[in-house]
Amino acid sequence: MSATVSTKRTRQPARSGTAARHPNAGRAKQVTRLMPTPLLAVITTLLCIMVLVPIVYIFLASLNTDAGVARGEFWPSAFSGESYVKIWTSVGLGKAIINSILVSGSVAIVSAVIAVGTAYVLVRFTFFGRLTMLRGLLGLQSIPGTLMILPVFVLFSSVGTYLGISVIGTLWGLFIAYLTFALPFSTWVMVTYLRGLPRELEEAARIDGASNLGILFKIIVPLSWPAIVVSGIFAFLLGWNDVLFASVFTRPETHTAAIALQVFSAGQEGGAIPVYSQMMAAALVCAVPVVLLYLIFQRYLVGGLTAGGVK
């Protein structure tokens, strides 16, 4: 009997201690919010409205007539999909989209491939001028394109004059111009990502006899897909959205989608009213490749954008 009482007495403090620690453990698991839930819901709703209203207006305007859009009608008085038919013959939108996909896709692939190897050398090896190159990558990203367009144009014109190679007005000349600006950003994204990869994997591969190229292609590249996708997508957007360089370095046969939209904005139907409806339809069509790109690679984007933030 006494043994039973003593056992109960010894178990009693343990239960009370567990109960005392339980509230603190529950508080530690609670998620801390920066603002109350109702306020967060209101702000999120407003942001969604700010994004969705222009998109809805563009879609409705593409189904409206040019006169209806010019009058400021939000809801069309008569729905018509004629604009989606005319855009392919008005300024050659199909050819322009193909040119943009070729140039932007090539820039995305080439910049991502070069950036992986360049970042691997800058992160894993020590040599003279390494820090200067890293700082130069940041410096190149801060130079606006408006300051570079005239020097690049003169350089391309000089190459065409002295070597007899046509650069201005060609897609590969536009490709080189875009690659010049996309490569520093892609390299810096890969540098940030590779700094977070553990070196132990590479050391284990070296013990097994792997070379530097073997480590790069068999270890670094498979582990770096999120950063590769992010750098490629941003390089693709650089070429897809550009108007400044495309307006200078292209001719009608090599116009990109951005230039085609610019031609739509300057066009007029009947000599008086701009082709607002066709312009809205062309804008939606040109946005489709970018949206599909994000939908296909969205599972890589979050990991790539947050890579290197926590080590």
Side-chain angles (χ1 to χ4, degrees), residues 6-287:
S6 62
T7 303
K8 291 181 179 180
R9 289 178 180 176
T10 55
R11 290 179 180 176
Q12 187 67 25
R15 293 176 182 175
S16 62
T18 304
R21 289 194 301 268
H22 181 70
N24 294 331
R27 294 192 189 97
K29 294 181 180 179
Q30 292 179 356
V31 179
T32 303
R33 294 184 179 272
L34 296 177
M35 60 184 66
T37 303
L39 181 60
L40 180 62
V42 172
I43 294 177
T44 304
T45 303
L46 292 177
L47 292 177
C48 291
I49 291 174
M50 292 175 60
V51 174
L52 293 177
V53 168
I55 297 177
V56 172
Y57 173 74
I58 293 175
F59 176 71
L60 293 177
S62 66
L63 299 177
N64 200 351
T65 61
D66 296 329
V69 178
R71 289 194 300 266
E73 295 180 356
F74 182 84
W75 190 265
S77 56
F79 289 90
S80 174
E82 187 179 359
S83 298
Y84 288 95
V85 179
K86 291 182 177 180
I87 57 176
W88 305 107
T89 56
S90 298
V91 296
L93 182 62
K95 179 64 175 178
I97 291 178
I98 293 175
N99 292 337
S100 290
I101 292 176
L102 290 176
V103 176
S104 303
S106 302
V107 170
I109 295 173
V110 173
S111 63
V113 171
I114 296 177
V116 174
T118 306
Y120 176 68
V121 173
L122 292 175
V123 172
R124 293 296 191 252
F125 298 94
T126 302
F127 53 90
F128 179 77
R130 171 177 170 272
L131 293 178
T132 303
M133 293 181 65
L134 288 173
R135 293 165 183 168
L137 292 176
L138 290 177
L140 289 174
Q141 296 179 46
S142 62
I143 300 176
T146 53
L147 295 180
M148 297 298 297
I149 186 169
L150 182 58
V152 172
F153 181 81
V154 173
L155 177 63
F156 285 4
S157 299
S158 301
V159 170
T161 301
Y162 292 106
L163 300 181
I165 301 175
S166 178
V167 180
I168 304 297
T170 61
L171 292 179
W172 71 270
L174 192 62
F175 162 79
I176 295 176
Y178 289 159
L179 187 64
T180 305
F181 294 95
L183 193 56
F185 178 80
S186 299
T187 305
W188 189 254
V189 170
M190 295 305 306
V191 166
T192 306
Y193 186 86
L194 294 184
R195 282 175 176 173
L197 292 182
R199 295 176 178 266
E200 288 77 9
L201 297 175
E202 302 173 31
E203 294 173 357
R206 292 186 189 279
I207 293 175
D208 293 336
S211 62
N212 291 329
L213 289 177
I215 293 173
L216 176 61
F217 289 107
K218 295 181 180 180
I219 296 179
I220 300 299
V221 172
L223 294 176
S224 303
W225 273 115
I228 293 174
V229 170
V230 169
S231 62
I233 287 178
F234 276 96
F236 183 89
L237 293 178
L238 173 67
W240 188 267
N241 297 328
D242 175 73
V243 178
L244 182 63
F245 283 87
S247 61
V248 175
F249 294 138
T250 60
R251 55 176 181 263
E253 295 79 12
T254 57
H255 277 173
T256 59
I259 302 302
L261 292 178
Q262 191 178 34
V263 174
F264 269 116
S265 64
Q268 290 185 347
E269 184 175 2
I273 301 176
V275 286
Y276 291 122
S277 181
Q278 296 183 42
M279 184 171 58
M280 300 298 181
L284 288 179
V285 171
C286 291

